[in-house]
Amino acid sequence: MPETKLLLTGANGRTGRAILKSMVDHGITVRAFIRDEAQADALKKLGAAEIAVGDFMDGASINEAVKGVDKLLHIGPPMHPDEIGISHRFIDAAKAANLKHFIYYSVMHPVRRDVRHHKLKLDVEEAVIESGLPYTIVQPSRYMQHLVPIWKTIVSEGVHSMPFNVDKLFNVVDLRDLADACAVIASEDKHFYAVYELAGPQALSQRDMANVISEVIGKPIEARAVPFDVMAEKAKAAGANDDRVTQMLAMNKHYDRHGFRGNPNILEYILGRPSRRYKSYVQFLAESAA
């Protein structure tokens, strides 16, 4: 069987690293597209066979990066205002190189147009579908990994806090399952021309999640909604620019009103197994942090 070589964009992010690892585990040769060459060694340790240094705004570096690969999985930069322009550069490069498969990492429910990064991803999906390339679009839900940056606070203070209603339901999904699904999709031709909603197996509120965490660690955990102004100030203090803060507010206000429900069937079909449940992930995180 001939070697499959795939260009992975956004390779150094949390999502990209998880996908890179799973691609390598599935026998796919990965060329990692990064902006900073200083990231190369870490990605090679994760299994990247090749490194392409370039810039999302530079079409020439993108054209060079696609040379010699068969497939491309594009992860756009989070909440970037020019996601359409960035994605078009990769679509155009993929068409010029006659790639066999273009995989776009979108978001669940891109039709939620009052959230800008959902709307932009919907516009990119349209461009992918109309590109003439064999494509697959994956639409992931919110990650279980939202726990990672707040885990120590949850354990020490006994509070699970997110900036939306504690009773709205979310089909959170384990990033490891999403990564495995992407690797399966890249490994098999039967996923051409598909759009896949990838959601976790349980509809859980923040209160439900707090109860699960409490059960796992043996300590009462309270679910608490973070006020939007507090969230905005924390984001600014962490270095988020005004546009990013505005989009985070829009997203969280939308989730505060509507939640983020999805269906797990397609993810389990792709994986060929049940997807991970929230308690399993919390147990994994608790053991990893111990």
Side-chain angles (χ1 to χ4, degrees):
M1 186 174 178
E3 176 188 60
T4 297
K5 185 179 291 186
L6 177 141
L7 179 68
L8 175 65
T9 77
N12 193 53
R14 176 176 60 176
T15 299
R17 285 178 172 234
I19 291 175
L20 168 59
K21 182 178 182 304
S22 192
M23 291 281 181
V24 173
D25 289 345
H26 281 74
I28 296 171
T29 300
V30 177
R31 178 183 294 168
F33 186 89
I34 56 175
R35 184 174 58 181
D36 185 354
E37 195 165 6
Q39 301 163 349
D41 286 346
L43 295 182
K44 287 179 180 178
K45 287 179 182 177
L46 287 176
E50 299 177 8
I51 301 294
V53 179
D55 192 293
F56 282 162
M57 300 301 178
D58 178 21
S61 67
I62 292 170
N63 291 338
E64 186 65 27
V66 302
K67 291 180 180 178
V69 302
D70 308 294
K71 304 187 178 189
L72 189 158
L73 192 152
H74 176 49
I75 306 168
M79 296 187 182
H80 197 287
D82 191 32
E83 175 146 10
I84 296 173
I86 291 168
S87 300
H88 269 287
R89 293 183 191 101
F90 283 99
I91 293 169
D92 291 345
K95 289 171 65 176
N98 197 29
L99 295 195
K100 298 176 182 177
H101 195 183
F102 190 100
I103 305 167
Y104 177 54
Y105 199 88
S106 183
V107 67
M108 191 171 78
H109 304 167
V111 293
R112 294 185 172 193
R113 287 182 170 270
D114 58 340
V115 182
R116 189 186 71 187
H117 76 274
H118 283 241
K119 176 186 179 298
L120 293 179
K121 289 184 183 298
L122 181 61
D123 291 338
V124 174
E125 288 190 14
E126 181 179 31
V128 170
I129 290 169
E130 294 181 350
S131 69
L133 291 163
Y135 67 84
T136 310
I137 295 168
V138 295
Q139 299 175 329
S141 183
R142 180 177 160 229
Y143 299 170
M144 294 179 186
Q145 278 74 7
H146 76 269
L147 281 178
V148 173
I150 61 174
W151 181 253
K152 289 182 179 179
T153 301
I154 292 172
V155 174
S156 63
E157 299 182 9
V159 176
H160 178 271
S161 55
M162 298 297 293
F164 31 75
N165 187 309
V166 297
D167 293 310
K168 292 297 181 181
L169 298 176
F170 296 75
N171 281 81
V172 290
V173 62
D174 193 321
L175 176 56
R176 294 173 297 172
D177 284 341
L178 295 173
D180 286 347
C182 287
V184 171
I185 288 166
S187 301
E188 302 173 347
D189 291 347
K190 69 179 183 179
H191 300 287
F192 290 168
Y193 307 106
V195 180
Y196 289 144
E197 177 180 293
L198 304 181
Q202 300 164 279
L204 300 172
S205 68
Q206 304 305 315
R207 202 183 303 277
D208 295 328
M209 295 178 197
N211 289 338
V212 171
I213 297 168
S214 178
E215 179 185 351
V216 171
I217 69 173
K219 176 180 178 177
I221 303 296
E222 175 192 355
R224 186 182 299 170
V226 178
F228 292 126
D229 59 341
V230 173
M231 184 224 76
E233 289 304 315
K234 285 184 177 180
K236 289 178 183 177
N241 62 30
D242 288 344
D243 181 73
R244 179 68 177 266
V245 172
T246 297
Q247 298 315 313
M248 290 172 68
L249 283 169
M251 176 184 72
N252 287 315
K253 286 179 180 180
H254 188 90
Y255 293 168
D256 180 71
R257 294 192 303 271
H258 304 292
F260 204 29
R261 294 288 306 273
N263 187 289
N265 291 349
I266 294 299
L267 178 58
E268 296 189 350
Y269 153 72
I270 295 168
L271 294 173
R273 59 167 173 81
S275 54
R276 294 178 175 94
R277 297 174 72 84
Y278 191 71
K279 183 177 180 180
S280 173
Y281 176 70
V282 174
Q283 290 171 329
F284 166 78
L285 182 57
E287 291 168 3
S288 301

